[in-house]
Amino acid sequence: MNAEESMELDRLLFVEEPIEADEVRVHPAWLPPEAFRALGSRRVLIHGDGLLVDTVLDEVSRACARYGGRVWHSPTWDVDVDLVFALRGTDELPGAAVRAALADGGDGEPLGDEGFLLTRDGDVTVVLADAPAGLLYGLFHVVRLCAAAFDPARPAERHRPALRRRMLNHWDNVAVHPVMGQVERGYAGGSILWREGRPRDDRARLREYGRLLAASGVNAISVNNVNVGHTEARLLTDRLGDVAEIADVLRPYGIRVHLSVSFAAPIVLGGLPTADPLDAAVRTWWSVTTRRVYERIPDFGGYLVKADSEGQPGPFSYGRDHADGANLLAEALAPYGGVVHWRAFVYNHHQDWRDRSTDRARAAYDHFAPLDGRFRTNVIVQVKHGPVDFQTREPVSPVLAAMPATRLAVELQVTQEYTGQQRHVCHLGPWWSEVLRFAPWGPDGRTIADVVAGAVGGGLVAVANVGDDPFWTGHPLAQANLYTFGRLAWDPGRDPAAILDEWITLTFPPSATADPELVRRVLHEIMDDSWRTYERYTAPLGVGFMVNPGDHYGPGVDGYEYTRWGTYHFADRDGVGVDRSRATGTGFAGQYPPHWATTYESPESCPDELLLFFHHVPYGHVLHSGSTVIQHIYDTHFAGVEEVTAMRRRWQTLRGTIDPSVYERVAERLDEQVRSATEWRDQINTYFFRKSGVPDKRGREIH
């Protein structure tokens, strides 16, 4: 960071004096100045060289300048210090403390490119890494620990990310789309990358975004929408410089840039008559084009492709399959270490609603499972966590258990397209944790986290929820979803409640909060179960959708019921749900390994929360909970509204204890959540009362 950029960042995010009325103060999210107090008040030595080490030095220097500490950069190390950041393997290491740390387990198992060791020797805290990225992640770990990083009794800790690829997909459009706007499914203002056809000029904001991502553990982003328009397609060629500018800003925080590309690029950009993946001229075009990309961006991550999906071009036009298409791009990327993320979100989006034999949930498995073993090693098949489309509740995709010879990534959605659009509190950490801990081969088998981990795994990917809103995510509490994604991508085994607690401590530092224990308690009470609360007042028992078509916000019970999109609930006077059994339905249940295929096959063994996803049952069907389906619908929707109303009451107890701008924004969103939840309750309950004719046994008002 040059001096001008550093001053601009401080002005926007760190200074506390008033700013001009026409300027917008950007909320610091989980990196407020106060989070650096424990580190910034110490004497710190940094040993090593490299761009990311320079970033560590810059971060520590600014913290020490604010809080009275001191910082030295090697080779000056004959000083008394409290904290050392050092790269192992350098010719000479600083001081006895570091040498003692090496002796205390620091010279054993390699830490890898991103791992680090934190240990204590006497009065000194030592962070050791094998590579600069490890020191950067070690720095943010020290920030998370606050004063605990300097506890003399703290045992040594070794940290390495479980997943090598921890990536956010931006669905940002370079040119404003006439329907989807600047950011498709974005709920936090405009793009932080693009504005009306050009890159944004606000480099300080983009660099701060890189800080936030690195501090959570994210190490890659794609910079444009997977639905690639004509303007966006040109990022690959004559507008590559725009991508390089973004890469230059994010590189100091270890963020590699990827690009969504059109499969038809050889036609659209190269003037070829075909994009056939087996055509020699097409292969040459991709090879030459990719070489030029790496000449401009040497650490470029690779391509992201949505093909033969919802109107996007793909290999089907040439009688080829997805392996042919993905391998074409992988071949071009291989010499440079790049990867292609090839999305498995492929289905018939012109379905006849009268045809119950066609099942959108089956599509990804039917298209991709037969191709297992045919993809090149630098292809990552990117699979949505559920078989339909980021619903509030759906089963884990069976594709993730069906392709052992293929690198797979799980795709989550941090942007809340179907979970309240950042107008509702809906903390998704518990849901994602369930997905990652799911064992497709049975309770004692490997988990989804195991499938995507390690050198052969494809990692974790999510659709970003960030925009140019001053709070980054529209709803200040939605910041927790972005932070939690990064932390779970680093360690899928982490308790999401512990991650949330970590986010609370950073975002609302106790030393800067009037009543920190009250703030912590209230935020946990509001957020811990908020995903299940949202589930209670929306589509019941895993049936999905029931949203307004188009914007996907608010209740529209039959909104998609007679459309081409394959998202049906089949409610009638007798019952509701989709029969996906092998015996009488679409056979989707049979796509799972035997344990879950058997479990999902029968209404008697199917978990309640997924019953209507897998089965069409009468309203009087008795759940494992002892309630009937219809009474469960009534009860949960009344309960959901009561829980949201209680959220709002709890939040009101924080008035005067936290930043007023945060308080007011959340209060405003909670008012909307109460209104929307009430509308959901009344429409869902009324719809099913009128369908079934069964009254609420508790006699509550249903319209």
Side-chain angles (χ1 to χ4, degrees), residues 83-226:
L83 174 62
V84 176
F85 293 95
L87 289 178
R88 300 193 305 185
T90 51
D91 292 338
E92 187 175 359
L93 286 167
V98 174
R99 291 191 288 274
L102 285 169
D104 185 23
D107 58 349
E109 181 183 347
L111 297 168
D113 290 342
E114 297 178 309
F116 61 91
L117 173 77
L118 183 144
T119 189
R120 291 278 298 178
D121 183 73
D123 296 328
V124 182
T125 296
V126 180
V127 177
L128 296 173
D130 290 343
L135 281 192
L136 181 66
Y137 291 122
L139 162 70
F140 288 122
H141 185 62
V142 170
V143 173
R144 281 192 295 272
L145 292 175
C146 303
F150 305 96
D151 182 351
R154 189 168 193 87
E157 307 171 19
R158 183 184 296 272
H159 296 269
R160 290 184 65 175
L163 309 182
R164 291 180 61 190
R165 300 184 184 278
R166 308 176 300 278
M167 181 177 176
L168 285 172
N169 291 169
H170 276 261
W171 286 0
D172 297 31
N173 298 308
V174 179
V176 177
H177 189 276
V179 176
M180 292 299 178
Q182 192 80 70
V183 182
E184 183 167 337
R185 307 303 178 190
Y187 312 106
S191 170
I192 64 167
L193 302 171
W194 313 101
R195 177 178 286 172
E196 297 180 350
R198 303 300 306 170
R200 287 182 63 106
D201 294 330
D202 191 351
R203 289 194 173 199
R205 181 79 187 266
L206 182 56
R207 185 179 175 94
E208 178 61 13
Y209 182 47
R211 292 180 76 232
L212 292 173
L213 296 186
S216 69
V218 172
N219 65 359
I221 68 167
S222 59
V223 299
N224 63 302
N225 195 354
V226 293

Side-chain angles (χ1 to χ4, degrees), residues 664-681:
E664 292 300 334
R665 175 66 73 89
V666 174
E668 167 195 304
R669 299 290 164 115
L670 283 169
D671 286 344
E672 165 57 18
Q673 188 168 359
V674 170
R675 184 210 65 78
S676 181
T678 302
E679 191 67 22
W680 270 102
R681 178 198 66 192

